[in-house]
Amino acid sequence: MNRKIFTSLICILLSLFMVFAAGCARKTPEVIESAQKSPLENTLHDVTVTDSQREFVVNAGKENASTQYKLLVGSGLAKLRAANFIATTLSTATGASFAIVEYDPEGELAFGRESKYIAIGCDELFVDAGQSMPDADLGFAGYYIVSYGDSVFIQADLDYGYQLGALAFLRAAVGYDMIDEDCLVFDKSGETLPDMRIAERPDFDFRNYTNWMTDNKLYGMGYDTSVSFMGVNGVGFHNCHQYLPPDKYYNSADPENYHPKWYSENSTYRQLCYTAHGDAQEYQAMLEASFEVLKKTVDENPEKNIVTFTQLDAPYCCECSACNAVVAKDGSISATIIRFMNDLDDMLQEYLNGERTVILCFFAYHTSLEAPSTTVEEDPTLKCNPNVCVIIAPISANYTIALDEGMNEAYAEGFSEWSHYADKIMAWVYECNYHWYLYPYNTYSSMVDTYYFLKQNNAFYIYNEGQRINKNVPCFGKFKEYLDAKAQFDVTVNYNDLEEKFFSNYFLDAADVMKDLFDQIVQWETYLETESSFGLDGGIYQEVADEKYWPRGLIESWLGLIDEAYEKVEHYKNEDAALYEKLCKRINIESIFMRFVQCTILSYTYSADALQQMRQSFKEDCAELSIVEYREHEGELTALYSSWGI
């Protein structure tokens, strides 16, 4: 069949599927802006940026660009890193070089309204200039930016705020945005420096990455650069055995160290028993042993503020008679964990003596996912201490729809219920199919709505788990990284605006073709998810590697769009070789999914020679793109290549 005729038929089919999908309850990106959301009262985005004629960079964008401005930086690594990032980015944007000067409060710096400084964390100078921090709560990562004469102050209550303060200044000064580490956007020339008054905090104090990223990208996109979490013996999560190792306390031949009541009776998943089987003496000993490890961890991490005490990555908690009695009375095994964490936190806060804020986190996960049913009014011991945080991880939810929609209603109610028991909530959500890394998982628009819902329920930390090994994630993983960075900072973002900005800047001349490919994949996925006969539930372990979902004609039509995208950027080959190489890499990433389908579930439809060539090309490109896994746990591509004989 003629390829153009075939492609037209595919497009007609997709159009029919679009009509079907539009009639379903699921929102698609085209209608997301019309979604009705109740207003938020727990956000701070007080941003006033006014254009001025104040000269910032002379001959901005030219080889002879120059500036009189210097970066004046207070003491501390967080402030220095912010200064370095601002200097490097301003140089990229304008061509001018910005010197960094260390601020010495004991020195004789001549400073006045005509001075030309970007002052970062210069506390004494800030006060001397008659400035003061706003009354608004800046939280852990908020910041305050204010113009004073020709200078600008960037201040924060805590070191975490200087990262986002640096990015906010760059947005105001040069229209900065990081689409990807090698794709920066500047909407302003930098010729003039506007007046600024910005009091702002991110909608989530801490924001974690979706996929593998360099530290520079994490910083430049506004993600938490992992400065907040302490590792317990290097382990951040599922670390309860780092506190109480079974080899030390369960398998010990030493009677003084033998404490079997600290553990569940389930020998397969040796979770902890947070009641010590109802033995008060053993419970106290368990607390004291845990606290010794906690104290050591806190002492070794003086710059960090969050530490976890979290159950194993397994579905079963303790089922001893004492724990079962608590479940019968309070409705959930989580009641035992809350009380234990409160007691442990009491010991920690007494030790800290108000000189430092440290938040202690525990999991609501698998069998401990549900909050208690006994109210805190009935039993105040079930109210988490102010610095005790629950990490809610609804692993069985459908993330292709918002967390407060459809089948997710029970999980949404869970967040609402937990808000009665904990003032601090961390949401651990998921953005990947863990059985099939290289297949699309349709959370592009739904995750924005999920973030909004989580903010409504007072979540202060987001951990959105994606792929942590593959350095490039196909199926528009780069778009997810960009989208999540923006939506975690401000949950009221407009999805359509971000989509337009990403595609136009990331793919340049190939933007329309790649946007067409993206739309077709999303529309097809929406159809698969909403057509009940396919049996897909939108979960993170759904089995999508089936030919009935991905017919050869459809896959090849999408690869045809990849070919068109390459043609669109061909002219850069002679005009700008480096840019051409970047664009080809970006397009190539998006071909990996379709080629993986060809090499696996559609392999029998190709001749032996054609299949061998496709598989060899797939292997070479994955190696170049640092794509090494196709599934979680024992899913290394090298093993697959061996089975292919290449």
Side-chain angles (χ1 to χ4, degrees):
M1 181 183 291
N2 181 282
R3 196 177 84 78
K4 289 186 177 180
I5 296 175
F6 180 79
T7 302
S8 297
L9 289 173
I10 290 293
C11 290
I12 291 171
L13 284 172
L14 283 170
S15 297
L16 290 174
F17 297 143
M18 270 189 70
V19 171
F20 174 85
C24 299
R26 173 187 170 82
K27 292 192 294 294
T28 61
E30 288 76 10
V31 299
I32 191 171
E33 62 184 359
S34 65
Q36 297 298 313
K37 300 175 180 177
S38 58
L40 295 171
E41 298 179 354
N42 55 347
T43 64
L44 177 64
H45 297 285
D46 184 3
V47 179
T48 302
V49 178
T50 308
D51 290 338
S52 78
Q53 297 303 310
R54 184 185 299 108
E55 188 175 73
F56 189 41
V57 176
V58 179
N59 297 321
K62 300 178 181 178
E63 290 186 3
N64 61 341
S66 64
T67 183
Q68 296 182 44
Y69 277 83
K70 296 179 180 180
L71 293 165
L72 192 64
V73 57
S75 62
L77 293 177
K79 299 170 187 178
L80 181 59
R81 183 171 188 184
N84 283 323
F85 191 87
I86 290 174
T88 301
T89 306
L90 286 178
S91 179
T92 301
T94 68
S97 178
F98 286 78
I100 297 176
V101 179
E102 182 179 350
Y103 170 61
D104 179 7
E106 302 299 326
E108 298 180 357
L109 174 73
F111 181 82
R113 296 190 63 84
E114 294 182 356
S115 301
K116 298 183 185 299
Y117 289 112
I118 303 164
I120 305 167
C122 302
D123 300 339
E124 294 84 352
L125 192 63
F126 179 72
V127 174
D128 290 344
Q131 302 297 315
S132 60
M133 296 297 282
D135 293 333
D137 180 9
L138 297 180
F140 278 90
Y143 47 88
Y144 180 55
I145 303 175
V146 62
S147 297
Y148 173 79
D150 287 338
S151 295
V152 177
F153 286 102
I154 303 174
Q155 292 290 127
D157 289 336
L158 296 174
D159 280 351
Y160 302 118
Y162 286 104
Q163 174 193 0
L164 295 183
L167 304 188
F169 171 80
L170 290 168
R171 285 195 297 271
V174 291
Y176 162 87
D177 200 0
M178 181 181 279
I179 306 296
D180 194 15
E181 188 168 17
D182 63 353
C183 185
L184 303 182
V185 174
F186 303 104
D187 291 333
K188 298 179 181 180
S189 68
E191 295 176 352
T192 60
L193 184 65
D195 290 318
M196 307 178 197
R197 188 193 178 282
I198 304 172
E200 196 166 22
R201 66 182 292 182
D203 283 352
F204 302 104
D205 284 330
F206 301 101
R207 305 142 314 284
N208 221 305
Y209 58 95
T210 55
N211 300 320
W212 183 95
M213 295 185 205
T214 66
D215 191 61
N216 186 65
K217 180 173 176 178
L218 288 170
Y219 193 93
M221 296 192 81
Y223 286 106
D224 176 20
T225 54
S226 300
V227 295
S228 56
F229 269 104
M230 307 175 204
V232 183
N233 295 323
V235 181
F237 298 103
H238 305 304
N239 57 6
C240 61
H241 281 181
Q242 299 301 318
Y243 288 88
L244 305 173
D247 285 345
K248 181 176 182 179
Y249 296 115
Y250 188 84
N251 301 322
S252 176
D254 180 0
E256 292 187 5
N257 281 333
Y258 183 53
H259 297 280
K261 291 185 178 180
W262 295 359
Y263 303 91
S264 71
E265 295 173 346
N266 187 312
S267 60
T268 303
Y269 303 106
R270 190 69 70 185
Q271 300 277 19
L272 299 186
C273 173
Y274 293 94
T275 68
H277 291 244
D279 186 322
Q281 185 174 346
E282 281 295 297
Y283 179 82
Q284 186 60 35
M286 182 179 176
L287 277 173
E288 291 173 359
S290 298
F291 177 65
E292 287 305 310
V293 177
L294 178 60
K295 181 173 64 173
K296 180 175 181 291
T297 301
V298 169
D299 288 344
E300 291 175 347
N301 295 274
E303 303 299 322
K304 301 184 180 182
N305 294 87
I306 300 177
V307 61
T308 68
F309 191 122
T310 44
Q311 66 193 61
L312 302 180
D313 190 8
Y316 302 106
C317 291
C318 184
E319 297 178 343
C320 72
S321 59
C323 286
N324 284 343
V326 173
V327 173
K329 173 182 174 292
D330 295 323
S332 173
I333 192 66
S334 61
T336 67
I337 304 175
I338 291 173
R339 294 186 178 106
F340 182 87
M341 293 303 161
N342 280 345
D343 289 342
L344 186 60
D345 179 66
D346 286 341
M347 300 170 74
L348 175 62
Q349 300 310 321
E350 181 180 359
Y351 175 71
L352 295 174
N353 195 30
E355 296 178 0
R356 178 179 168 194
T357 298
V358 174
I359 297 170
L360 178 63
C361 300
F362 68 93
F363 263 138
Y365 182 58
H366 280 308
T367 47
S368 67
L369 179 62
E370 294 183 2
S373 57
T374 301
T375 67
V376 295
E377 289 78 17
E378 294 171 315
D379 187 345
T381 66
L382 292 175
K383 177 69 175 182
C384 292
N385 288 357
N387 286 318
V388 171
C389 170
V390 57
I391 306 173
I392 304 176
I395 195 170
S396 299
N398 172 4
Y399 290 97
T400 67
I401 59 176
L403 203 52
D404 58 341
E405 291 183 0
M407 64 170 288
N408 288 335
E409 183 178 351
Y411 301 112
E413 291 176 356
F415 274 92
S416 179
E417 290 168 358
W418 267 110
S419 67
H420 297 294
Y421 297 89
D423 294 331
K424 288 184 172 63
I425 290 176
M426 173 179 165
W428 185 310
V429 293
Y430 303 85
E431 196 154 74
C432 176
N433 184 331
Y434 291 91
H435 277 169
W436 298 105
Y437 278 166
L438 306 187
Y439 280 77
Y441 187 55
N442 190 11
T443 61
Y444 307 96
S445 64
S446 62
M447 197 56 74
V448 178
D449 284 345
T450 289
Y451 291 150
Y452 196 99
F453 163 75
L454 293 173
K455 182 61 181 175
Q456 286 177 310
N457 284 272
N458 296 319
F460 86 111
Y461 199 126
I462 290 289
Y463 186 96
N464 191 349
E465 185 175 344
Q467 298 182 31
R468 294 160 293 185
I469 303 298
N470 291 330
K471 292 186 179 180
N472 289 289
V473 175
C475 305
F476 300 92
K478 300 293 185 183
F479 178 43
K480 284 187 179 182
E481 292 161 15
Y482 174 68
L483 185 66
D484 286 345
K486 295 299 182 185
Q488 289 183 21
F489 178 78
D490 182 353
V491 298
T492 66
V493 293
N494 184 289
Y495 173 93
N496 295 323
D497 290 346
L498 295 177
E499 185 184 70
E500 168 62 27
K501 190 171 188 180
F502 174 84
F503 279 90
S504 62
N505 287 285
Y506 188 71
F507 291 112
L508 297 181
D509 301 54
D512 289 346
V513 176
M514 296 304 289
K515 177 62 165 55
D516 186 16
L517 173 62
F518 172 76
D519 286 343
Q520 288 193 30
I521 290 175
V522 169
Q523 290 154 9
W524 182 259
E525 279 242 287
T526 301
Y527 169 68
L528 294 178
E529 293 156 9
T530 51
E531 173 51 65
S532 59
S533 63
F534 285 115
L536 297 178
D537 61 2
I540 64 174
Y541 296 109
Q542 58 188 357
E543 288 295 340
V544 295
D546 193 311
E547 183 186 0
K548 67 183 178 183
Y549 303 135
W550 314 104
R552 174 173 166 171
L554 185 61
I555 292 298
E556 291 183 345
S557 74
W558 288 343
L559 285 171
L561 292 177
I562 292 290
D563 291 339
E564 289 182 30
Y566 282 126
E567 293 172 5
K568 291 282 188 179
V569 302
E570 179 72 21
H571 66 94
Y572 289 113
K573 191 171 186 178
N574 297 321
E575 299 170 9
D576 188 335
L579 178 59
Y580 175 71
E581 185 178 347
K582 284 199 297 187
L583 291 170
C584 286
K585 175 184 175 181
R586 294 169 187 173
I587 294 168
N588 194 20
I589 293 170
E590 304 312 330
S591 76
I592 293 298
F593 154 57
M594 285 83 78
R595 293 161 62 193
F596 183 66
V597 172
Q598 287 181 316
C599 293
T600 53
I601 60 175
L602 295 178
S603 61
Y604 77 95
T605 69
Y606 295 97
S607 69
D609 289 344
L611 180 62
Q612 183 76 359
Q613 184 177 356
M614 285 191 294
R615 285 177 167 175
Q616 185 63 40
S617 176
F618 175 84
K619 176 183 177 180
E620 292 170 359
D621 283 355
C622 283
E624 184 177 344
L625 296 171
S626 298
I627 298 174
V628 297
E629 288 189 347
Y630 68 94
R631 70 161 68 229
E632 186 181 38
H633 304 312
E634 300 181 358
E636 292 83 4
L637 281 169
T638 52
L640 189 62
Y641 300 150
S642 295
S643 71
W644 291 349
I646 60 174

